[in-house]
Amino acid sequence: MKHRLLTIIVLLMLTLSVGAQEAPRQPQQHFSPEKFEADLQAFITNEAKLTQQEAAKFFPVYKEMQEKQRAIFGRQRQLLTKEKPADEQGCLRNIKDCDELDLELKRIQQNYHSRFLELLPASKVYDILKAEDRFHRHMMKSWGRGAQRQGQGQHRR
């Protein structure tokens, strides 16, 4: 009996010590558009090796492009989050509208790439486009890892 009681106490103490050693949970961080924008600009500036003068010319035009793109993304999201149309004609109309918005995004991108090339050498614009893509990929991966961690924490309970 004493042996059993001692075993239970030791197991209880081990369980409590393991629980105490678990890393404290990070408070859930909320998305900050301002921080995201600042991080993106810093990353692009560093990766494309933009001077202060180049960055000062480039980023206002870049921000203008992003605002136009966000408006299109918003319209696409509205089309795709609506309830599914009841008939084939409605579905066809939504598909064609989404395709037209995709083309509009490409036209905006093409227009602004031409404007960027008026401000900076093609090699810098190329580096900017690559840096932007890398930044977004990195952010998506890190957000995915954060979601996985949150999900794992919920399964431990």
Side-chain angles (χ1 to χ4, degrees):
M1 182 74 167
K2 286 182 182 179
H3 188 291
R4 204 179 243 171
L5 183 59
L6 184 60
T7 304
I8 291 172
I9 290 173
V10 169
L11 285 174
L12 182 63
M13 291 173 69
L14 283 172
T15 304
L16 290 174
S17 70
V18 168
Q21 291 176 7
E22 192 173 301
R25 293 184 185 207
Q26 296 289 334
Q28 190 174 11
Q29 295 178 353
H30 296 284
F31 177 74
S32 166
E34 295 81 16
K35 181 175 176 0
F36 181 85
E37 187 68 30
D39 291 347
L40 174 63
Q41 286 189 14
F43 188 82
I44 289 173
T45 300
N46 183 51
E47 291 291 304
K49 297 173 180 53
L50 297 178
T51 66
Q52 286 183 340
Q53 295 81 6
E54 289 171 331
K57 289 189 298 185
F58 171 74
F59 283 111
V61 179
Y62 179 75
K63 188 171 179 142
E64 186 181 302
M65 177 187 76
Q66 286 183 311
E67 288 170 5
K68 288 183 180 183
Q69 287 175 323
R70 278 191 205 107
I72 303 292
F73 291 142
R75 288 173 37 205
Q76 280 181 323
R77 192 171 36 257
Q78 284 176 338
L79 276 174
L80 296 173
T81 57
K82 283 183 189 177
E83 194 169 309
K84 181 180 175 180
D87 61 350
E88 290 296 312
Q89 205 58 22
C91 288
L92 179 62
R93 187 172 41 256
N94 273 12
I95 291 168
K96 288 186 177 201
D97 288 348
C98 281
D99 287 347
E100 190 55 45
L101 290 171
D102 280 339
L103 292 172
E104 181 62 23
L105 278 170
K106 279 298 175 188
R107 284 189 286 269
I108 289 169
Q109 196 176 46
Q110 187 177 34
N111 176 36
Y112 277 90
H113 288 177
S114 295
R115 290 181 63 188
F116 298 161
L117 290 167
E118 293 172 7
L119 302 171
L120 301 169
S123 60
K124 293 270 182 152
V125 173
Y126 182 85
D127 291 341
I128 287 168
L129 298 177
K130 280 182 59 176
E132 179 188 33
D133 184 60
R134 269 196 311 265
F135 180 83
H136 287 113
R137 287 177 188 275
H138 172 75
M139 292 306 289
M140 294 300 282
K141 283 181 185 175
S142 67
W143 289 336
R145 282 191 297 265
Q148 286 174 347
R149 262 187 256 121
Q150 287 176 355
Q152 288 172 353
Q154 291 171 351
H155 291 295
R156 288 185 190 170
R157 291 182 185 163

